[in-house]
Amino acid sequence: MSKTIIFIELNGAKIKSGSLELLSAAKNAGQTIVGVCLGPGSNGASKEAAYYGATEFYFSEDESLAKYNPEVYTKALTEIIKAESPNFILASGTQLAKDLLPRIAAQNNAGYVSDAIEINFDGNDAHVKKPVFSGKAFAKVDFKNSDLNIIVARPNQLTVNDPDTAATCNVKEATVPSIDLKTVIKDIVKGTSEKLDLTEANIIVSGGRGLKEAENFKLLEELADTLGATVGASRAVCDAGWVPHSMQVGQTGKTVAPSLYIACGISGAIQHLAGMSSSKVIVAINSDPDAPIFEKATYGIVGDLFEVVPQLTKEFKALLS
Ligand code: FAD
């Protein structure tokens, strides 16, 4: 039976949905699951990890892990790898994981695949599907290394099992070796938004140049508040300074795969599509019937967003109240 480390990240006190997806995928494949959660609050995540399939759980709330420093995290995770000798390490593709896991692969001479959207386990091997060329094609990747293989998956692509609230796991405190740090993180300044990060959002309302000016983003915020969604944007409007670059979706922005992506006044340039085309349902609102976004859209509304968006907000408010 394969042994798999799931690198778990938290959103407050709860395990991020991307980590739950991977716990579920490993459990469904019958693997022995070791959950690893590092940093503040990690001790409290063991119960939830067990509900989704972890039988072993490592945590550490050591002060050196309070702010993400790749040197410390790499060292701490490598110690756990030495102790557990896993066949796989799986992580959801957050900013932190995309920085940490390639380092772990290099240090441990492991196979590495990023941006996985499908994983089929086959004993100690796995067949992985990932988008390439901005989503215009898919690559199927197999591992040649049978010792340790690392997969970083795109969030919102896999299903989450129902929790088994009777399940328990064996909890261990990870040791964090002291090292001579080459860099020190002095401070992390959080953005002002209280909303869920775009990469984790289940619903995204996104706006482009069709909104005409920054002020009009409030129309999207109202719709997003009604739906419990997060607001995204095209690069054109981020570059114009209407909204921060943290909201940019696309090839040079964030890759998202929500259940519902509502594109308002976005033309659908290939670089924008690269970041959102694996969304489950895409609704496009555009006044130009020939806009390329309609080729990707599940539902298209040809119309003026200044009429359509307030109307949608009104209807959803009535429906959801
Ligand atoms: P436009 O292309 O100007 O489209 C505006 C749309 O609004 C039009 O389709 C128009 O019909 C519609 N519209 C106008 N008025 C209304 C109205 N009243 N109601 C409804 N619809 C209306 N772009 C990204 O988004 N993300 C990226 O990560 C990204 N990376 C890039 C990387 C490179 C190397 C390059 C070269 C480009 C990149 N771009 C990226 C830019 C991309 O090519 C497009 O320029 C950009 O996506 C266009 O943004 P837009 O759709 O908001 O604007």
Side-chain angles (χ1 to χ4, degrees):
M1 198 194 292
S2 298
K3 189 191 265 190
T4 296
I5 285 182
I6 309 289
F7 181 75
I8 293 171
E9 288 186 63
L10 301 180
N11 195 352
K14 303 278 288 174
I15 295 180
K16 285 191 173 184
S17 62
S19 304
L20 294 181
E21 288 176 43
L22 294 168
L23 283 163
S24 304
K27 187 178 180 194
N28 296 344
Q31 297 175 343
T32 303
I33 302 174
V34 181
V36 175
C37 188
L38 302 173
S42 55
N43 189 8
S46 62
K47 264 193 187 166
E48 199 184 0
Y51 294 169
Y52 288 89
T55 49
E56 300 282 326
F57 181 84
Y58 284 85
F59 76 94
S60 173
E61 301 199 2
D62 190 279
E63 187 133 346
S64 63
L65 298 162
K67 296 189 185 87
Y68 172 65
N69 181 315
E71 294 172 60
V72 187
Y73 270 67
T74 302
K75 194 78 184 158
L77 186 49
T78 298
E79 289 300 309
I80 299 170
I81 294 166
K82 274 191 212 150
E84 292 292 336
S85 303
N87 305 96
F88 294 103
I89 303 176
L90 308 183
S92 179
T94 61
Q95 290 298 111
L96 189 156
K98 284 193 229 173
D99 185 77
L100 175 64
L101 275 301
R103 295 169 193 269
I104 295 290
Q107 290 242 329
N108 294 276
N109 199 23
Y112 179 79
V113 180
S114 63
D115 209 18
I117 57 167
E118 237 179 72
I119 309 168
N120 290 303
F121 292 102
D122 181 4
N124 288 349
D125 195 3
H127 311 291
V128 183
K129 185 173 163 189
K130 61 174 282 176
V132 287
F133 300 117
S134 303
K136 277 185 274 182
F138 295 96
K140 290 183 175 172
V141 188
D142 287 356
F143 290 103
K144 289 180 82 178
N145 176 357
S146 55
D147 292 337
L148 175 61
N149 293 313
I150 299 179
I151 303 170
V152 173
R154 189 180 278 197
N156 285 335
Q157 294 294 303
L158 311 169
T159 49
V160 176
N161 292 345
D162 290 332
D164 171 4
T165 51
T168 56
C169 64
N170 188 17
V171 182
K172 293 178 187 161
E173 185 161 3
T175 46
V176 186
S178 63
I179 49 171
D180 278 338
L181 292 175
K182 296 183 192 69
T183 55
V184 178
I185 311 294
K186 294 185 78 174
D187 201 7
I188 294 174
V189 183
K190 286 206 163 186
T192 48
S193 173
E194 294 295 314
K195 296 249 169 70
L196 207 56
D197 186 75
L198 277 174
T199 53
E200 286 169 55
N202 196 34
I203 306 177
I204 294 174
V205 179
S206 214
R209 205 143 41 187
L211 278 153
K212 314 286 189 229
E213 55 178 330
E215 171 77 355
N216 294 330
F217 259 82
K218 65 175 189 293
L219 288 177
L220 303 195
E221 273 151 26
E222 217 189 326
L223 176 57
D225 286 345
T226 309
L227 293 171
T230 300
V231 178
S234 72
R235 175 166 163 176
V237 300
C238 297
D239 284 352
W242 296 1
V243 292
H245 273 104
S246 57
M247 286 169 65
Q248 185 185 321
V249 172
Q251 188 180 322
T252 44
K254 289 183 176 161
T255 303
V256 299
S259 300
L260 174 61
Y261 188 90
I262 307 179
C264 310
I266 293 177
S267 59
I270 185 75
Q271 296 90 353
H272 188 80
L273 299 179
M276 45 63 77
S277 58
S278 49
S279 305
K280 292 184 185 71
V281 173
I282 297 171
V283 175
I285 304 163
N286 199 303
S287 50
D288 173 6
D290 297 322
I293 190 82
F294 287 127
E295 285 167 32
K296 280 279 170 196
T298 325
Y299 301 101
I301 303 174
V302 178
D304 182 351
L305 72 87
F306 294 99
E307 288 170 19
V308 177
V309 173
Q311 190 66 31
L312 281 178
T313 307
K314 193 174 147 209
E315 295 294 332
F316 280 125
K317 268 188 183 155
L319 244 160
L320 299 169
S321 63

